[in-house]
Amino acid sequence: MKEYKVIDLEFFCTYFILTCLSSSLVFLTNPDFCTLKGVLTLVSLAVFFSAIVTSVLKFFKFNRSVHQVVKCICFYVLLFITIVEIFLYLNFEILIDETIFNIIDGTNVEESRDFLLTYFSLKTTGAILVVIAIFFFIYYFIPRIIFRWPLKLVNICILLLLMFSIGKIGYSVYSSISFGFGGHLSAYSTFSRVARSYYIYYSISKETDCLIDNLQNFNGAELRKDRCDKMVVIIGESYSKYHSQLYGYAKETSPLLSARAKNGDLIVFTDVITPINDTERSFRAIFSLGEYYNDIYYNYTLFPYEFKQAGFYTVNIDNLDLASKTSRVKDSEKLSRLMFDYRNEKTHQFDENILPWLCVDDDAHSKQLFVIKLRGQHYNYDSQFPSSFTKYYVSDYSDINLPENKKQIIADYDNATIYNDFVVDSIINSFEDDNAVVLYFSDHGEEVYDARDYMGHGGTTPYLKYQVEIPFMIWMSHKYKLMNPDIVKNIEENKDLPYSIDDVSHTICDISGVWCPQYVPSKSVGNDMFKPKLERIILESYIYEELINN
């Protein structure tokens, strides 16, 4: 009599082992999870998802070819996700999260190419090949081993595993709901990591839709004080203050801005952070008048929209990304139309080529807001500056114990910083004769082999200061200073106090004279009511001050 199989036992066991292997990457990024409880949670989720996949396969038994195709799809999906997570871990020490979906949503072909060229190394390629080899070995040999076991024994073992799995997952969910702790359940499985990350990304997309709907209901913005004619907000890219001459870096990477600072023409802030270390979420913090972690994002207005309502001609120049149908706040076509009167429709390889776009008819538009996003020090660093700005070479880093190729990357970054200095100084020069203010700060910082063998940004590391501490500076024209001595005095007095760019929208409104119902004077460094935050939240749950002091 033929023994009965409830499910494809060989495939279940194979997929269970592969899922455990893939999911265990969480122990690399979070060593604290590697406990008996953590291992049991991982095994439970692996059993659960393997049972679901194997059960679904039963519906395709009617056709052997279709059944085999579906099995292969299940195998290759898991393999692909594992390869992606291996790549992310080796380069950024993170696994799949909602940021990855945000990046995919807003990344163009050129950025994708640059990204892969930057981070696909021999080490990464070798690791991926090893993972592929292990997966195929398990896929082809485990069924042959399982086939030799007594079928009843295998069925009993699987049944016990399923019972344990359901009990363990149920208890974790109950603990999470009832007591607020569930052992970070979703982190312990490859599939739940992807599902949770996509859910968060989808929720953020819906938040953007709500924001678009709500934004049109925010009224009351007005120009209460005629302080400046031109407000210029320059947002850099991946600028590490630890590679800036302005902040004590040994190499001359910002000679022009340093000269302005020395002459008292530029006010440089010393203690400014971003609450998050990726571009899109930094822009959400920069644009919104709400606090990034303490307020419901879509219930707060965005400063460019308020400027437009107050009568400013609003210009957005983004030399990195064009507006598209994305849900990203930075690049959303719908949001751009609400916030800006003009947005560029092409980009340039080098930032200096955006300078002609700064010319606006002053007679037609007496009040102007410019929000400028530079390419800055975006990877690949060597493609962000003309060869004429090459000042540093590998030989200039002989004191650093790194391979030649990594010294070249540091040199490229420093040269890109020199070029960025030239671009920002050139933008300031464009407004010298106007009643104008120019703010410059970066969306986030960057690690460039400063404290470990790593370059880039993202994830949670012991070296977050390189990623969240950012340069921040304010230039005010002679005309503006004469008209607003109180603002100048306040900015000078506050330049060494703690600040976070999720409050910068209040500063921008204040020093421009734009008032709206959600403006808070105590969040503006240009106001005599300014109150610095003693505890600044970064990456959702960390207190910056505690992290740095420890």
Side-chain angles (χ1 to χ4, degrees):
M1 182 176 178
K2 188 176 180 179
E3 291 184 280
Y4 178 67
K5 290 185 180 181
V6 178
I7 57 175
D8 186 335
L9 298 178
E10 291 86 358
F11 185 76
F12 172 85
C13 293
T14 302
Y15 213 72
F16 166 68
I17 294 171
L18 291 174
T19 305
C20 284
L21 179 66
S22 176
S23 300
S24 63
L25 290 172
V26 71
F27 297 141
L28 296 177
T29 56
N30 297 279
D32 292 343
F33 287 8
C34 192
T35 61
L36 178 60
K37 181 181 177 181
V39 172
L40 292 176
T41 302
L42 185 147
V43 170
S44 300
L45 287 170
V47 170
F48 179 73
F49 284 112
S50 299
I52 290 176
V53 170
T54 313
S55 298
V56 169
L57 278 175
K58 285 195 67 179
F59 292 102
F60 298 94
K61 281 284 190 180
F62 63 88
N63 185 297
R64 180 176 176 82
S65 297
V66 173
H67 185 256
Q68 286 300 118
V69 168
V70 175
K71 282 176 72 172
C72 286
I73 290 172
C74 293
F75 170 78
Y76 283 110
V77 165
L78 181 58
L79 175 59
F80 174 75
I81 295 172
T82 306
I83 288 173
V84 170
E85 293 207 312
I86 286 289
F87 174 83
L88 291 172
Y89 173 72
L90 290 177
N91 288 288
F92 309 104
E93 295 185 3
I94 62 172
L95 301 179
I96 289 175
D97 61 14
E98 67 276 9
T99 307
I100 306 304
F101 290 100
N102 266 321
I103 292 170
I104 293 170
D105 183 23
T107 301
N108 57 39
V109 175
E110 180 188 354
E111 287 183 306
S112 300
R113 183 202 64 203
D114 288 346
F115 181 82
L116 292 175
L117 286 174
T118 300
Y119 289 106
F120 246 107
S121 62
L122 188 62
K123 173 185 174 183
T124 303
T125 305
I128 289 172
L129 290 175
V130 169
V131 168
I132 292 172
I134 292 172
F135 261 62
F136 275 98
F137 176 83
I138 292 173
Y139 186 75
Y140 284 108
F141 285 95
I142 289 298
R144 299 183 182 185
I145 297 171
I146 299 298
F147 185 73
R148 298 176 182 175
W149 293 2
L151 190 56
K152 284 186 178 180
L153 175 62
V154 175
N155 275 327
I156 291 171
C157 290
I158 291 175
L159 181 61
L160 290 173
L161 274 173
L162 280 170
M163 290 173 63
F164 169 76
S165 171
I166 293 170
K168 181 70 177 75
I169 294 170
Y171 174 74
S172 295
V173 171
Y174 170 75
S175 298
S176 180
I177 295 172
S178 302
F179 309 110
F181 60 88
H184 303 281
L185 185 62
S186 63
Y188 287 98
S189 170
T190 301
F191 295 111
S192 56
R193 286 197 292 267
V194 173
R196 179 181 180 275
S197 300
Y198 183 78
Y199 171 76
I200 295 174
Y201 160 76
Y202 176 79
S203 299
I204 290 173
S205 300
K206 289 301 178 185
E207 283 186 7
T208 302
D209 292 338
C210 289
L211 175 63
I212 291 170
D213 293 337
N214 291 345
L215 203 57
Q216 299 171 74
N217 298 322
F218 291 127
N219 299 309
E222 57 183 284
L223 186 63
R224 287 197 171 178
K225 297 181 180 179
D226 190 6
R227 284 179 170 159
C228 73
D229 297 330
K230 298 181 181 181
M231 183 71 220
V232 185
V233 181
I234 310 172
I235 304 170
E237 171 66 42
S238 304
Y239 192 148
S240 169
K241 64 184 288 187
Y242 291 92
H243 283 255
S244 171
Q245 180 183 353
L246 284 162
Y247 291 91
Y249 188 51
K251 289 182 168 51
E252 296 182 353
T253 54
S254 47
L256 300 174
L257 294 179
S258 292
R260 286 185 179 274
K262 187 176 181 180
N263 295 333
D265 193 29
L266 183 72
I267 300 175
V268 179
F269 284 65
T270 59
D271 189 4
V272 181
I273 64 164
T274 174
I276 200 72
N277 54 355
D278 72 75
T279 298
E280 163 58 14
R281 290 185 288 179
S282 287
F283 263 78
R284 288 164 66 94
I286 293 164
F287 277 13
S288 177
L289 270 79
E291 291 191 6
Y292 187 77
Y293 292 116
N294 295 327
D295 295 320
I296 299 174
Y297 183 70
Y298 53 80
N299 286 341
Y300 285 80
T301 188
L302 308 180
F303 85 81
Y305 178 79
E306 296 303 313
F307 270 72
K308 189 175 180 181
Q309 297 303 303
F312 278 71
Y313 181 73
T314 54
V315 176
N316 184 204
I317 299 171
D318 191 327
N319 200 35
L320 198 57
D321 300 298
L322 298 177
S324 64
K325 299 188 185 301
T326 178
S327 61
R328 300 197 333 163
V329 167
K330 174 178 170 291
D331 307 317
S332 166
E333 285 181 346
K334 291 181 180 178
L335 272 177
S336 285
R337 284 194 293 269
L338 287 172
M339 293 189 293
F340 300 108
D341 295 297
Y342 169 85
R343 178 164 179 157
N344 58 299
E345 296 181 349
K346 65 177 181 178
T347 59
H348 293 288
Q349 181 182 359
F350 300 123
D351 283 331
E352 65 185 284
N353 294 321
I354 69 169
L355 293 174
W357 294 342
L358 301 176
C359 298
V360 173
D361 187 348
D362 291 345
D363 293 329
H365 309 290
S366 59
K367 299 293 182 183
Q368 302 165 20
L369 168 71
F370 295 87
V371 178
I372 303 169
K373 179 69 177 78
L374 300 178
R375 297 183 67 89
Q377 292 93 309
H378 195 278
Y379 57 81
N380 285 336
Y381 309 136
D382 62 347
S383 64
Q384 306 307 335
F385 60 92
S387 58
S388 58
F389 280 82
T390 303
K391 179 176 180 178
Y392 294 111
Y393 300 87
V394 171
S395 58
D396 294 306
Y397 301 88
S398 57
D399 57 326
I400 300 176
N401 186 25
L402 284 171
E404 298 279 296
N405 64 319
K406 293 180 179 178
K407 289 181 182 179
Q408 183 61 60
I409 290 171
I410 299 174
D412 291 336
Y413 186 87
D414 286 348
N415 291 327
T417 304
I418 293 171
Y419 180 63
N420 186 78
D421 177 68
F422 162 75
V423 171
V424 174
D425 186 72
S426 299
I427 294 174
I428 291 174
N429 283 334
S430 300
F431 297 96
E432 288 275 9
D433 298 326
D434 299 307
N435 175 18
V437 178
V438 178
L439 267 74
Y440 175 83
F441 53 88
S442 185
D443 54 355
H444 51 75
E446 188 89 337
E447 284 191 59
V448 195
Y449 305 110
D450 299 286
R452 56 175 174 156
D453 188 8
Y454 174 78
M455 56 155 286
H457 59 271
T460 303
T461 83
Y463 309 102
L464 271 176
K465 71 174 187 177
Y466 297 101
Q467 299 187 27
V468 300
E469 293 180 7
I470 56 172
F472 185 100
M473 56 204 76
I474 300 177
W475 173 87
M476 294 165 283
S477 69
H478 181 66
K479 288 181 180 179
Y480 183 89
K481 288 179 178 179
L482 288 177
M483 292 177 62
N484 303 279
D486 56 329
I487 298 286
V488 178
K489 176 176 177 290
N490 293 333
I491 290 174
E492 285 278 9
E493 289 178 352
N494 295 328
K495 66 184 178 66
D496 295 317
L497 297 178
Y499 197 54
S500 174
I501 59 168
D502 64 343
D503 287 339
V504 73
S505 56
H506 298 273
T507 292
I508 294 168
C509 288
D510 187 26
I511 63 181
S512 303
V514 172
W515 181 91
C516 65
Q518 293 179 344
Y519 158 68
V520 180
S522 62
K523 294 182 178 182
S524 167
V525 295
N527 202 287
D528 56 9
M529 296 173 64
F530 174 65
K531 293 180 181 178
K533 293 177 180 176
L534 299 180
E535 291 187 343
R536 291 170 286 179
I537 302 173
I538 58 173
L539 274 64
E540 298 187 11
S541 58
Y542 296 95
I543 302 298
Y544 166 78
E545 282 71 19
E546 293 178 359
L547 200 68
I548 296 304
N549 291 334
N550 292 335

